[in-house]
Amino acid sequence: MRRVWDPDKDASNRRKHGVSFEEASELFDGRDHFEIFDVGHSIDEDRFIGIGPVRQRLLVVCYTELADGAIRIISARRAEKEEIAMYRSYLDGLPR
């Protein structure tokens, strides 16, 4: 699956959150993430929030899916306490 992003937004995100969009794109390589439909930010386009492990840290990645199936990354940062708890709850619900 192709991943795209705005280079200026990527640079801004790296300065602000210390996470590059290239790193954030790795979220979609694994199966251990979950996604939430972002109702509050889906006015002009459907947006999603993915939470999962990337390079041994838990990331929150905001993205949208383009008409051609590509994923456009909008922002990425380390997960905060509430998001870590949500992710743990998600893992607890997976079949073993």
Side-chain angles (χ1 to χ4, degrees), residues 37 41-48 63-65:
F37 181 70
H41 294 100
S42 292
I43 297 167
D44 296 327
E45 62 190 358
D46 287 346
R47 290 191 177 192
F48 302 89
Y63 63 95
T64 190
E65 295 178 10

Side-chain angles (χ1 to χ4, degrees), residues 19 50-53 57-61 76-87:
V19 179
I51 303 175
R57 59 184 177 170
L58 203 61
L59 295 184
V60 175
V61 180
R77 60 176 173 74
R78 286 180 180 250
E80 296 176 352
K81 288 180 185 181
E82 181 178 306
E83 294 151 340
I84 292 168
M86 288 171 55
Y87 182 73

